[in-house]
Amino acid sequence: MGYSLYAIKYIKNPSEKVQLEAIKENYDAIRYIKNPSYKIELEAIKENESAINFIQDLDEEKMVSFLKQNILVIKYLYKKLSIEKIEEALKEVISKEDVEEKYIRDFLNCSVIDRNSDAIKLDKVIFIYKYGSKMAKKIAMDEKLKMM
């Protein structure tokens, strides 16, 4: 654990820049930030989906934006969001040509979403084939070939 994680505890009103540096060093710093901004919450979720445990006032809009930021947050949200909202968010992210490689790989390896899942039944490869950008399809193909 770095210096910023410990230091942020003792700063009464840290600037957003200080908060951001602490989050980038360790997402867990969010637990010590009183009233973090939405930008800080998003960055913490991007760093690690477990940051959701320290975020207050979760509404549907925030949950969907966190899902778009890091697909792995789904394990904390799938019971709180409708399948339609989840699919809509996924379609938006994977249809982008500049979709992050990590997002697609995490999506493909996410056990909460799967053809055989008790949580969200979805064939991820077909979903990417239908709604994914060229880049998403390229990443998906590469990931599936790695698994063979």
Side-chain angles (χ1 to χ4, degrees):
M1 304 260 172
Y3 169 76
S4 295
L5 178 62
Y6 295 114
I8 198 84
K9 287 194 232 184
Y10 303 106
I11 303 172
K12 280 198 193 275
N13 293 309
S15 69
E16 191 171 66
K17 185 178 179 182
V18 170
Q19 291 178 37
L20 192 57
E21 287 305 313
I23 294 299
K24 284 185 176 182
E25 186 175 307
N26 187 330
Y27 80 92
D28 201 34
I30 197 162
R31 74 168 58 200
Y32 303 112
I33 300 171
K34 191 174 183 176
N35 303 315
S37 71
Y38 173 68
K39 180 180 176 182
I40 297 302
E41 292 174 340
L42 271 176
E43 189 62 36
I45 293 294
K46 183 177 183 179
E47 293 297 318
N48 190 306
E49 66 278 4
S50 298
I52 193 97
N53 295 313
F54 307 113
I55 296 176
Q56 306 297 312
D57 305 319
L58 282 176
D59 59 18
E60 186 176 87
E61 188 178 331
K62 263 189 181 182
M63 289 187 283
V64 169
S65 67
F66 294 158
L67 185 62
K68 291 176 186 177
Q69 190 70 24
N70 182 344
I71 186 60
L72 299 177
V73 80
I74 191 73
K75 63 185 167 190
Y76 301 99
L77 302 178
Y78 75 92
K79 291 181 180 178
K80 298 174 183 175
L81 290 169
S82 70
I83 296 296
E84 293 78 25
K85 283 286 181 192
I86 293 168
E87 285 187 3
E88 188 180 303
L90 287 170
K91 286 176 190 176
E92 185 180 323
V93 175
I94 70 169
S95 68
K96 292 180 181 176
E97 202 54 54
D98 64 345
V99 64
E100 287 190 27
E101 187 171 332
K102 181 183 182 317
Y103 194 95
I104 298 298
R105 292 185 190 282
D106 286 348
F107 172 62
L108 289 168
N109 294 307
C110 178
S111 61
V112 174
I113 304 170
D114 194 67
R115 285 184 300 206
N116 304 316
S117 171
D118 291 333
I120 301 173
K121 289 190 183 309
L122 182 72
D123 187 316
K124 295 177 278 197
V125 174
I126 290 175
F127 193 83
I128 289 174
Y129 176 75
K130 279 178 143 177
Y131 305 108
S133 65
K134 272 187 181 178
M135 181 56 77
K137 291 173 185 171
K138 180 178 173 252
I139 297 164
M141 181 62 70
D142 184 56
E143 184 66 18
K144 285 299 176 184
L145 288 172
K146 273 187 183 177
M147 293 174 164
M148 296 180 129

